[in-house]
Amino acid sequence: MIFPFTAIVDQDEMKLALILNVIDPNIGGVLIMGEKGTAKSTAVRALADLLPEIDVVKGCRFNCAPEGPFCSDCIEKLNKNGSIEIEKKKMRVVELPLGVTEDRVVGTLDIEYAIKKGEKRFEPGILAEANRNFLYIDEVNLLEDHIVDLLLDSAAMGVNTVEREGISFIHPAKFILVGTMNPEEGELRPQLLDRFGLCVQVNSLTDKNLRIEVLKRKAEFDDNPEEFFKKWDSEQQILVRKIIKAKENLKNIKIDDSALSFVVDITCQLNLDGHRADIVMLKAARAFAAFNGKNGITQEDIKAVAPFTLRHRLKRLPFEDISQEVDKLNAILETI
């Protein structure tokens, strides 16, 4: 049994960033920076466990959605039978280990099948397992750059195309990317940092009462997980209903000119590259507004998500401390 999401003490920024990505997976994932033992992986697994089952094409190795887009296998099945069967599956957290090869990530030729049957067949990789699930990368800063590039490209395009060894195969690869890193163990290149939609910082709790509450809940959960889960069930159900409603209403949230102008008012005052920060901030603000049951995006919604969308994109000069740009961002958000 997995520790309930709503029972995680504090770490509100991390929990909110994960929820916003569930409401709108197009936000582009979340990078969680911080120390070990701060409930990062627990939060991801707990959120996946909380969410309702999803509809998938029955027997599909790639978890294709019944409404598409489809993998090459499902397209062939549709052309042959004219219809597809549907089954339900729980969302999973797929972990990507350090030292993983490119073949394992994108998939490759199924050698065993080729030897036994004398036919070529595609063997799905981690991107296939991750489709419509969470893809969790612990210590993403220690992963080889070309693997991170490959993952971020697939996350952005939502599709994995494999052309190798006489095999041509396409399948959807739409996942919620969650990377974690401890900056003290090495940094990610700015180009890769920018590709993560949101970024949050988690720290060990310093408040004595909160630390006691962590110990209390963990001991209670370890002693009797079923009873502990019952205790938190009503809060879990309230949260899942709120997320489902937000997903349903997301595209009904109005994006008016004042919201667009407010986003640009913030980004124009900062030292940023490109327009990704503006785009992600607007998407995150819309998801935040939907989560809070609103019909439009307010300035407060944008201010609430701005730190998540900008913190990892702030540029600094050589020998300049990043805290100077963060202070500048905080000053802008206070005065604007």
Side-chain angles (χ1 to χ4, degrees):
M1 190 167 276
I2 296 171
F3 195 85
F5 185 78
T6 50
I8 295 172
V9 178
D10 203 62
Q11 310 297 10
D12 294 336
E13 278 197 2
M14 173 176 66
K15 289 190 277 187
L16 178 59
L18 290 170
I19 288 170
L20 295 182
N21 270 281
V22 170
I23 294 169
D24 184 359
N26 291 320
I27 286 173
V30 56
L31 176 64
I32 306 172
M33 291 187 180
E35 307 144 7
K36 289 183 180 297
T38 43
K40 297 189 289 289
S41 62
T42 301
V44 179
R45 288 190 178 82
L47 184 56
D49 186 60
L50 171 73
L51 296 172
E53 292 181 327
I54 54 172
D55 287 335
V56 300
V57 175
K58 190 175 182 181
C60 177
R61 297 181 293 167
F62 308 92
N63 298 321
C64 285
E67 65 277 11
F70 296 116
C71 64
S72 301
D73 285 351
C74 286
I75 292 171
E76 191 181 331
K77 199 182 288 181
L78 260 175
N79 290 337
K80 187 178 173 186
N81 303 331
S83 64
I84 47 174
E85 290 182 70
I86 297 171
E87 63 180 347
K88 287 195 177 291
K89 275 189 183 177
K90 280 293 287 178
M91 284 185 75
R92 292 174 51 214
V93 178
V94 177
E95 288 197 45
L96 189 134
L98 293 176
V100 69
T101 63
E102 190 172 323
D103 282 353
R104 179 70 188 101
V105 174
V106 300
T108 187
L109 177 69
D110 187 338
I111 300 292
E112 191 179 339
Y113 188 86
I115 292 171
K116 283 183 181 173
K117 305 280 183 179
E119 297 171 15
K120 289 179 181 177
R121 190 175 78 161
F122 179 68
E123 183 178 4
I126 289 175
L127 289 178
E129 290 179 46
N131 186 38
R132 304 180 71 210
N133 288 313
F134 289 87
L135 180 59
Y136 184 81
I137 313 170
D138 198 17
E139 298 178 322
V140 64
N141 51 326
L142 303 183
L143 208 58
E144 290 181 48
D145 281 356
H146 74 280
I147 297 289
V148 181
D149 265 333
L150 200 154
L151 289 168
L152 294 171
D153 280 342
S154 295
M157 293 188 293
V159 65
N160 178 34
T161 304
V162 182
E163 299 277 355
R164 58 175 60 181
E165 298 170 63
I167 289 182
S168 177
F169 202 92
I170 298 175
H171 68 82
K174 199 83 178 168
F175 46 84
I176 298 172
L177 181 64
V178 182
T180 71
M181 62 176 275
N182 184 348
E184 292 176 1
E185 295 172 350
E187 296 194 351
L188 264 182
R189 284 190 289 123
Q191 295 90 331
L192 299 179
L193 273 176
D194 181 54
R195 303 285 297 276
F196 279 93
L198 307 181
C199 175
V200 293
Q201 178 82 39
V202 291
N203 297 305
S204 303
L205 302 175
T206 52
D207 182 278
K208 185 179 175 184
N209 291 329
L210 290 178
R211 290 184 78 100
I212 290 172
E213 191 61 29
V214 171
L215 290 176
K216 190 176 157 188
R217 291 184 192 179
K218 183 71 175 86
E220 211 176 322
F221 175 75
D222 288 345
D223 284 349
N224 193 339
E226 288 83 8
E227 198 58 37
F228 187 77
F229 215 86
K230 277 183 197 169
K231 183 178 169 183
W232 287 89
D233 189 51
S234 61
E235 284 201 39
Q236 293 273 94
Q237 293 308 316
I238 290 169
L239 178 60
V240 76
R241 282 197 294 271
K242 203 172 165 185
I243 293 172
I244 292 170
K245 194 173 177 185
K247 280 177 78 70
E248 289 170 353
N249 291 338
L250 182 68
K251 291 188 177 172
N252 297 326
I253 303 292
K254 292 175 188 167
I255 301 176
D256 57 27
D257 288 348
S258 64
L260 301 177
S261 176
F262 195 73
V263 167
V264 176
D265 282 345
I266 296 171
T267 53
C268 279
Q269 298 182 61
L270 294 164
N271 191 14
L272 298 167
D273 279 336
H275 300 275
R276 190 171 281 130
D278 305 53
I279 294 166
V280 173
M281 200 191 307
L282 189 65
K283 284 180 182 175
R286 187 172 71 157
F288 186 72
F291 185 56
N292 289 296
K294 297 178 184 173
N295 298 318
I297 302 170
T298 65
Q299 292 187 357
E300 293 309 312
D301 297 326
I302 295 169
K303 279 187 179 182
V305 301
F308 308 163
T309 59
L310 297 172
R311 188 180 287 140
H312 57 308
R313 297 187 166 95
L314 297 172
K315 287 169 66 181
R316 55 181 166 172
L317 298 170
F319 308 112
E320 185 185 24
D321 195 310
I322 190 65
S323 61
Q324 291 179 27
E325 280 295 314
V326 174
D327 290 344
K328 189 176 170 183
L329 168 63
N330 292 336
I332 292 168
L333 293 177
E334 282 176 16
T335 56
I336 199 166

